[in-house]
């Protein structure tokens, strides 16, 4: 089974503020190339048996993807898609939003982005969300690592801060997205310490040298069993991500450097992320 744990749904024209559009343009990220993201989502994630789907709520950096929008998309394919609620801890009504998403929209997990919300992961406002998630067995996928946005405090996205979160909330299941790039070593140090903390490989394959070194670190620290597959759709498709991950050793040429073992790659691709995150398989309901 293949589970894509990291896919976005949004409409840039409706859900992105002017500052976010400016950041996209400054970094030569052309939103029009994504086409109709919602319409493309199902066909471009079909190589995965299941996909976790979410928006982002983070007004500090211009993201405002309504959870109802994503929930309506998930409802169209309930045996293939799983909803994670996008929550902005800075919003005074964030816990009400989380309850609504969990109790009425069918959310089985949460998406948080401390960098985008410009809030430290150990901020008490975040901790209220963590406590709710522990109480209701909801995993959290965090944006972790750098980004193209110009606002928000980059320090809040460093993997090391999630070590303190895991110590205070040891039962909270967490996924640190993007292996915390460019702090992959720091991310690996965190996930190997905590039984309920994982990372995903989304949006890494198209930086092949950095990706190779990150994967070799995982092998050398014997921590690849704590990593899940994700694509970061629409920034990358599921099939392109699978191909890029499986072709990781192409960067080596005849250098003589050690390969990333094929069995490690396939174990990550086919890992049962639902079991790791405590999520029921919607195909069995």
């Amino acid at each position: 089974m293949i589970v894509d744990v990291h896919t976005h749904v949004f409409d840039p024209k409706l859900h992105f503020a002017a500052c976010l559009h400016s950041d996209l343009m400054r970094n030569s990220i052309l939103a029009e190339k994504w086409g109709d993201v919602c319409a493309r989502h199902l066909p471009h994630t079909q190589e995965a048996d299941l996909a976790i789907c979410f928006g982002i709520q983070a007004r500090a950096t211009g993201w405002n993807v309504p959870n109802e929008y994503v929930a309506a998309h998930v409802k169209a394919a309930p045996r293939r898609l799983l909803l994670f609620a996008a929550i902005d801890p800075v919003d005074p009504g964030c816990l009400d939003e989380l309850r609504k998403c969990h109790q009425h929209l069918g959310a089985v997990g949460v998406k948080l982005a401390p960098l985008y919300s410009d809030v430290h992961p150990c901020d008490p406002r975040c901790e209220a969300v963590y406590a709710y998630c522990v109480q209701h067995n909801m995993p959290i996928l965090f944006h972790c690592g750098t980004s193209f946005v110009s606002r928000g405090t980059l320090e809040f996205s460093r993997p090391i801060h999630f070590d303190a979160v895991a110590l205070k909330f040891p039962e909270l299941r967490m996924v640190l997205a993007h292996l915390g790039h460019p702090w992959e070593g720091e991310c690996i140090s965190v996930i190997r310490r905590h039984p309920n903390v994982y990372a995903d490989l989304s949006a890494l394959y198209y930086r092949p040298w950095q990706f190779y070194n990150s994967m070799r670190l995982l092998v050398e620290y014997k921590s690849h069993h704590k990593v899940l597959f994700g694509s970061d759709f629409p920034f990358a498709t599921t099939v392109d991500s699978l191909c890029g991950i499986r072709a990781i050793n192409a960067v080596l040429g005849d250098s003589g450097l050690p390969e990333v073992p094929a069995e490690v790659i396939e174990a990550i691709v086919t890992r049962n992320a639902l079991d790791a995150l405590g999520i029921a398989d919607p195909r069995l309901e």
Side-chain angles (χ1 to χ4, degrees):
M1 179 171 70
I2 297 177
V3 181
D4 189 336
V5 303
H6 195 132
T7 73
H8 298 261
V9 170
F10 48 65
D11 182 337
K13 293 180 181 179
L14 297 177
H15 305 146
F16 290 6
C19 63
L20 184 52
H21 281 290
S22 177
D23 283 337
L24 288 166
M25 291 180 62
R26 182 175 49 81
N27 285 275
S28 301
I29 302 171
L30 304 178
E32 56 266 26
K33 286 189 174 182
W34 299 330
D36 186 330
V37 174
C38 198
R40 292 180 63 242
H41 181 267
L42 277 172
H44 285 83
T45 59
Q46 64 183 348
E47 288 77 15
D49 298 285
L50 298 164
I52 290 172
C53 189
F54 44 76
I56 296 178
Q57 284 281 327
R59 284 175 173 79
T61 50
W63 303 84
N64 184 23
V65 185
N67 285 299
E68 291 84 355
Y69 180 87
V70 184
H73 176 68
V74 170
K75 190 175 180 180
R79 295 175 67 82
R80 273 204 57 208
L81 302 180
L82 295 155
L83 174 65
F84 272 31
I87 301 299
D88 186 350
V90 176
D91 183 347
C94 68
L95 286 179
D96 289 335
E97 178 71 11
L98 177 52
R99 291 188 193 97
K100 177 192 71 178
C101 292
H102 175 219
Q103 297 173 15
H104 301 293
L105 298 183
V108 297
V110 169
K111 165 70 172 183
L112 291 181
L115 166 61
Y116 296 149
S117 292
D118 200 24
V119 62
H120 195 287
C122 295
D123 188 290
R125 292 169 293 182
C126 293
E127 293 186 352
V129 177
Y130 304 157
Y132 184 96
C133 289
V134 170
Q135 181 183 358
H136 297 284
N137 194 34
M138 299 177 75
I140 300 179
L141 188 148
F142 292 92
H143 174 84
C144 189
T146 190
S147 173
F148 60 87
V149 299
S150 58
R151 303 183 181 195
T153 304
L154 189 58
E155 172 70 19
F156 296 166
S157 206
R158 290 197 66 157
I160 193 62
H161 298 307
F162 298 96
D163 182 63
V165 175
L167 287 170
K168 190 165 186 178
F169 297 90
E171 297 178 8
L172 178 62
R173 298 175 191 259
M174 298 189 284
V175 181
L176 308 184
H178 317 303
L179 200 61
H181 75 101
W183 300 293
E184 293 94 333
E186 192 171 287
C187 184
I188 293 167
S189 298
V190 174
I191 64 174
R192 70 194 293 257
R193 272 170 49 86
H194 302 288
N196 289 322
V197 184
Y198 296 83
D200 78 33
L201 291 184
S202 59
L204 295 181
Y205 77 88
Y206 44 72
R207 299 179 182 92
W209 180 241
Q210 182 184 30
F211 183 37
Y212 164 76
N213 281 277
S214 302
M215 289 291 286
R216 281 302 311 175
L217 275 178
L218 280 171
V219 171
E220 290 163 12
Y221 277 100
K222 297 181 175 61
S223 298
H224 46 84
H225 64 289
K226 299 300 297 295
V227 177
L228 310 175
F229 170 73
S231 66
D232 204 22
F233 177 87
F235 299 91
T237 66
T238 301
V239 67
D240 287 345
S241 299
L242 288 169
C243 291
I245 290 170
R246 285 168 169 156
I248 187 170
N249 292 312
V251 72
L252 300 180
D254 59 357
S255 65
L257 289 168
E259 291 189 345
V260 177
E263 59 269 25
V264 167
I265 297 168
E266 289 307 308
I268 292 173
V269 166
T270 60
R271 178 155 294 122
N272 189 333
L274 301 189
D275 279 356
L277 300 179
I279 300 172
D281 190 330
R283 299 170 302 177
L284 304 178
E285 296 179 353

